[in-house]
Amino acid sequence: MNTVLNRALDARRISPSPARLLTTGYAPRCDTVAGAVGSTPVLWVDRPLNPAGRGFWAKLEGHNPGGMKDRAALHMIERARERGDLPPGGMIIESTSGTLGLGLALAGITYGHPVTLVTDPGLEPIMHRLLSAYGARIDVVSNPHPTGDWQQARLQRVGELLAEHPGSFSPDQYHNPDNMAGYAPLALELVAQLGRVDVLVCSVGTGGHSAGVSRVLREFFPQLRLVGVDTVGSTIFGQPARSRLMRGLGSSIYPRNIDYPAFDEVHWVAPGEAVRAARLLASAQYASGGWSVGAVALVAGWLARTEEPDARIAAVFPDGPQRYFDTVFNDDYCHRHGLLTANLPTEPDEIAHPSEREVTRWTRCRRVLDPTIELEDR
């Protein structure tokens, strides 16, 4: 455990452990905004999803300057600079649906690198404006890839830009192990804050934080159960790839950062279900967020009702609600996409195998397989 602790602290240049901040009662004094990343609070959440006393602990990563992915962005850029992969003044070029872009803009300002972010027409207007305000150049692809959808189209554009700009670097969040390593401090904060974690609930997109947090937590708590939350239409856990409304979780490619053996079960959540849960949280708890937060809260709330009463459940909320005023919290948008027509379900459907059928609503599967291995075996 000491090896993990020292490695994580060295990676983020922090000392001593997050526990010191909890005992002093004061936030650290920062010389740069990068110093404000981390030491986010946990919040007890029972109502409105559950009766009082049956809840979970939400790790509020929206308290970082840009969100949870500030952690990974800073770490990936730090490591690239140390290895010489990113020379002084070299351009950072990456594909993003939004949150990592905020973290890379922060890293670019911190270390003096220009940043170009490749995105698609689904990027929310507020995110486009924020990223531009933070000095990032935005490159929008115009057409989806025929099989890999917008995600693959963005990645192809990243490759073109890397060839056009010698000395540039792509963090490659989907496959870069530094992405996972950047979340070790988050795990250590949970250890200090909660003392014990029995179940960890994470949204899954690149696979970075679910792998990075669970690996460190299991060095403290070997019996930890990891529950992944995906979106319908995502191919990550063996469902067919479809056009997806939700951003920030799910994928139409297979990121190598996903640690399939680490998962004990996976839940797929539909957009309307995530919206309903996020809005309920906002009205009852004030602390809320967007697609990923709504989906994670829905699943974590159900686990709090069905696990043993003393099970300590931690759920990672990747960001806050502000960027979603045009989507999740916009009535016109939600009505246009039919997201407010159904009541929030109280429990998931269940399938025995990921390929049993295509899911369109909240569904649980306790058999987690790596679809890339399954495809190779066919």
Side-chain angles (χ1 to χ4, degrees):
M1 287 188 288
N2 288 338
T3 300
V4 174
L5 178 62
N6 292 336
R7 186 170 65 243
L9 297 181
D10 180 66
R12 284 295 300 115
R13 306 293 192 270
I14 57 176
S15 70
S17 76
R20 178 175 178 180
L21 300 179
L22 298 175
T23 56
T24 61
Y26 294 99
R29 187 171 63 188
C30 305
D31 295 323
T32 68
V33 70
V37 174
S39 299
T40 57
V42 291
L43 174 70
W44 176 253
V45 177
D46 44 22
R47 60 183 182 90
L49 301 172
N50 292 345
R54 292 304 295 265
F56 60 92
W57 292 98
K59 182 69 165 162
L60 302 182
E61 288 292 283
H63 283 244
N64 288 304
M68 176 186 70
K69 291 191 176 183
D70 289 351
R71 299 178 185 262
L74 285 167
H75 186 67
M76 287 190 289
I77 297 308
E78 287 171 358
R79 294 292 293 121
R81 285 166 52 87
E82 290 169 1
R83 289 190 300 263
D85 295 339
L86 177 61
M91 181 179 291
I92 300 168
I93 302 173
E94 179 65 313
S95 162
T96 181
S97 62
T99 309
L100 182 72
L102 292 172
L104 290 175
L106 170 59
I109 291 171
T110 300
Y111 294 112
H113 294 277
V115 176
T116 294
L117 302 171
V118 179
T119 187
D120 59 65
L123 183 71
E124 301 95 334
I126 187 174
M127 285 299 294
H128 194 293
R129 293 171 187 147
L130 272 176
L131 292 169
S132 296
Y134 292 143
R137 174 177 173 266
I138 311 300
D139 189 300
V140 182
V141 297
S142 55
N143 295 297
H145 186 274
T147 57
D149 205 51
W150 292 109
Q151 204 164 14
Q152 188 62 40
R154 297 197 314 253
L155 290 174
Q156 288 185 343
R157 180 58 179 154
V158 168
E160 294 170 359
L161 291 170
L162 288 170
E164 293 172 12
H165 297 276
S168 59
F169 169 76
S170 174
D172 190 13
Q173 60 171 323
Y174 308 103
H175 310 307
N176 185 347
D178 291 333
N179 180 1
M180 296 182 285
Y183 292 107
L186 193 160
L188 295 172
E189 290 168 25
L190 285 173
V191 173
Q193 291 167 314
L194 300 181
R196 185 187 87 245
V197 180
D198 301 308
V199 183
L200 176 67
V201 188
C202 295
S203 57
V204 186
T206 69
H209 83 278
S210 56
V213 176
S214 65
R215 286 182 186 180
V216 174
L217 285 182
R218 279 188 170 133
E219 296 212 24
F220 292 86
F221 317 115
Q223 303 306 311
L224 175 84
R225 293 180 56 238
L226 176 62
V227 178
V229 182
D230 199 0
T231 171
V232 298
S234 165
T235 193
I236 291 177
F237 291 100
Q239 284 281 300
R242 300 289 184 239
S243 178
R244 303 188 310 279
L245 195 62
M246 294 204 277
R247 302 173 71 83
L249 71 167
S251 178
S252 51
I253 63 173
Y254 299 110
R256 289 196 299 271
N257 276 336
I258 295 174
D259 186 0
Y260 288 99
F263 289 96
D264 294 278
E265 62 184 82
V266 61
H267 292 240
W268 295 273
V269 175
E273 296 162 344
V275 164
R276 288 284 190 183
R279 287 179 169 222
L280 278 173
L281 277 176
S283 63
Q285 288 277 355
Y286 193 89
S288 185
W291 305 110
S292 295
V293 168
V296 165
L298 180 65
V299 174
W302 177 78
L303 289 166
R305 295 193 297 275
T306 56
E307 293 285 320
E308 293 297 324
D310 63 344
R312 191 160 298 174
I313 301 167
V316 180
F317 282 13
D319 57 11
Q322 290 81 6
R323 66 175 279 197
Y324 302 98
F325 85 102
D326 265 335
T327 53
V328 172
F329 299 101
N330 184 312
D331 286 351
D332 291 339
Y333 175 91
C334 289
H335 284 304
R336 190 162 63 249
H337 292 281
L339 302 179
L340 300 177
T341 57
N343 292 325
L344 188 67
T346 57
E347 61 183 34
D349 291 343
E350 186 158 351
I351 56 177
H353 192 281
S355 63
E356 179 178 317
R357 60 179 170 83
E358 184 172 352
V359 301
T360 58
R361 69 176 296 275
W362 179 18
T363 303
R364 175 196 189 204
C365 185
R366 285 180 283 182
R367 186 173 184 182
V368 180
L369 302 174
D370 182 343
T372 62
I373 296 176
E374 291 286 296
L375 290 171
E376 291 171 0
D377 290 343
R378 292 175 186 173

